[in-house]
Amino acid sequence: QSSVLYLSYSASALLGSTWIIKKVRPVNGLILGMGLYSVYVGCFILAVLQMDHPIIAEVIALLGAAVGGLAGAILWTAQGSFFARSAEVHSQDSEVTTLPDATSDLSAYFAAIYLFGEVALNLLSSVLVEAFGLAWLTVFTVYFVIAVVSVSGMLLVYEHPADSDSDAGSFSNTNSPSKATAAWRVLTKDPKMICMVPFNLVFGLAASFRSSFVSSEVVRIALDDNKSMYVGALSAVTAVVAAVMSLIFGRISHVIGKGTILVIGSASFFLVAFPFVVFPDLTRWGWASVLCVYTLQGIGRSTFEGTLKAEFADFFSYEKEGAFANIVLQSGLSNALGFFLSINLPCSSPGTYCIEYADGTLHNVLSYELLIMVSAVLAVFGYWRAAVLYRRENGQSLRGTPEEAVAFVAEADAPDVT
């Protein structure tokens, strides 16, 4: 199911989400994405009702995963586009706020609200199941109602008019096939995007590493938690840290710059894996060391949910939908890669870095850990190169201004003569 979800998520970002957002505009894209997410939640209800028919339940779950992937691609592409335009409007209406400051502030507020909401909803399921003893069918129904109410609330959100040259070009001639592949064109034609790939890669790898190894095996061995009783609380620590740090980073980014914060995020992801290389004996781990890993993951995630998206809004203002679809594409593929590696790096006999999982299988965790660490280092150098290119383009060709937007759109709308 997870594989179908991530494949649908990435494929939709690459091949269709940008065209949909350009066709219906960001707010309607948010409504559509959230509506499809409601369908995704509804599929869990249907799957539970069909538990006596395992094949039918599995088919419903897989169809739901495909819908969920499409929903995520549409929603997060639309959210990025809406966020970037909101930052532009905010900076234009303020006499003291620049666009980079606006993207920093708004990304921090969004990330904090989003992450605190994640904590609240995660705790809600625990309370409903453990405190009130409700069945999962009832829990899924509660979440479905919350999802539908959320979609209804989006009907009240204001849509920014396409009053800039960049917006007018972005939403013109939406029937052009090139609009559907804006993410691919930004990836292949703007070298800054290639440079930003390692940061999305390390986020996805670190997230899947925490889920597949730390939460599943490290907690079980280090904390003697065979029933995963502590995993929910530890995951909440990551989300709370990420929410708090998003607000802190949003405030101090005006002083130290967004680049410094992204370096801190990369270092945090590096340190999620590094301790397991230096101290591979999990039986000697304890609460302090485990909490440290979950905290570092939270710091890294705060930079991904907030600062990275603010920087994308700055770097790729001429093609917002294509830029944010790339975050969806790259993080989706890296998450899928991470989960694939978590079960496909076997080893022959238990050893220092050959860990026996609870199901009896042996896994080479060292290769996975080194890949995360290398990706984190590449993320720092990649960002540095992207920032150099951005400053050079702004100084020489006004990259990101209406002139470039017109050039990018004109290229997309040009007929194929081959």
Side-chain angles (χ1 to χ4, degrees), residues 367-410:
S367 298
Y368 200 166
E369 293 157 3
L370 292 176
L371 180 59
I372 293 172
M373 293 162 60
V374 171
S375 298
V377 173
L378 291 176
V380 174
F381 285 101
Y383 173 77
W384 169 78
R385 181 57 182 168
V388 169
L389 292 173
Y390 176 68
R391 288 193 296 268
R392 183 181 302 167
E393 290 166 346
N394 272 272
Q396 296 180 1
S397 62
L398 300 178
R399 184 72 151 179
T401 64
E403 288 83 353
E404 175 163 7
V406 170
F408 188 85
V409 171

Side-chain angles (χ1 to χ4, degrees), residues 319-384:
E319 176 49 59
K320 302 173 180 65
E321 293 76 25
F324 283 93
N326 262 280
I327 294 181
V328 174
L329 171 65
Q330 296 167 26
S331 62
L333 288 177
S334 60
N335 267 284
L337 174 63
F339 282 110
F340 174 82
L341 293 177
S342 69
I343 60 176
N344 287 280
L345 289 174
C347 46
S348 57
S349 59
T352 303
Y353 298 105
C354 183
I355 306 299
E356 182 176 357
Y357 281 20
D359 60 3
T361 58
L362 298 176
H363 297 268
N364 178 2
V365 296
L366 178 62
S367 298
Y368 200 166
E369 293 157 3
L370 292 176
L371 180 59
I372 293 172
M373 293 162 60
V374 171
S375 298
V377 173
L378 291 176
V380 174
F381 285 101
Y383 173 77
W384 169 78

Side-chain angles (χ1 to χ4, degrees), residues 32-299:
L32 175 60
M34 292 173 66
L36 289 172
Y37 257 136
S38 299
V39 174
Y40 174 49
V41 177
C43 286
F44 284 93
I45 299 174
L46 295 177
V48 171
L49 292 173
Q50 296 295 326
M51 290 303 292
D52 293 335
H53 304 87
I55 296 178
I56 296 177
E58 183 175 355
V59 170
I60 292 174
L62 291 177
L63 289 175
V67 172
L70 174 61
I74 294 173
L75 176 64
W76 289 112
T77 301
Q79 185 274 333
S81 178
F82 181 79
F83 153 71
R85 285 176 174 78
S86 298
E88 289 177 353
V89 172
H90 179 59
S91 64
Q92 292 167 2
D93 291 344
S94 174
E95 296 181 355
V96 296
T97 302
T98 64
L99 180 57
D101 287 343
T103 56
S104 294
D105 292 340
L106 297 186
S107 66
Y109 298 149
F110 168 78
I113 293 171
Y114 167 64
L115 292 163
F116 277 127
E118 178 182 305
V119 173
L121 291 174
N122 284 338
L123 291 176
L124 175 62
S125 65
S126 298
V127 171
L128 293 177
V129 172
E130 298 176 12
F132 293 96
L134 298 181
W136 279 108
L137 177 61
T138 303
V139 174
F140 290 145
T141 302
V142 170
Y143 278 90
F144 178 75
V145 172
I146 293 174
V148 172
V149 172
S150 299
V151 176
S152 301
M154 287 301 300
L155 297 173
L156 304 177
V157 175
Y158 175 74
E159 177 75 88
H160 299 300
D163 55 0
S164 69
D165 291 343
S166 177
D167 282 354
S170 182
F171 296 118
S172 66
N173 192 16
T174 54
N175 290 323
S176 170
S178 295
K179 300 294 185 181
T181 57
W184 177 252
R185 290 188 295 114
V186 173
L187 179 63
T188 56
K189 294 184 180 297
D190 192 330
K192 298 193 304 298
M193 184 60 75
I194 294 294
C195 295
M196 298 301 288
V197 167
F199 198 96
N200 287 303
L201 176 63
V202 72
F203 166 75
L205 291 175
S208 56
F209 178 76
R210 192 206 69 178
S211 299
S212 63
F213 177 61
V214 180
S215 294
S216 298
E217 306 303 326
V218 175
V219 172
R220 176 180 64 85
I221 298 172
L223 305 182
D224 193 22
D225 184 21
N226 292 315
K227 296 183 179 180
S228 300
M229 295 177 60
Y230 303 137
V231 171
L234 289 168
S235 298
V237 168
T238 293
V240 170
V241 169
V244 173
M245 292 306 299
S246 294
L247 293 174
I248 294 175
F249 285 147
R251 180 61 61 89
I252 66 175
S253 65
H254 304 300
V255 179
I256 66 176
K258 283 176 277 193
T260 303
I261 293 172
L262 288 180
V263 171
I264 293 173
S266 298
S268 298
F269 288 134
F270 180 94
L271 292 173
V272 166
F274 181 71
F276 296 102
V277 176
V278 181
F279 306 106
D281 186 358
L282 301 182
T283 60
R284 303 185 65 178
W285 281 60
W287 273 102
S289 51
V290 171
L291 278 172
C292 183
V293 170
Y294 278 87
T295 299
L296 287 166
Q297 178 69 21
I299 295 173

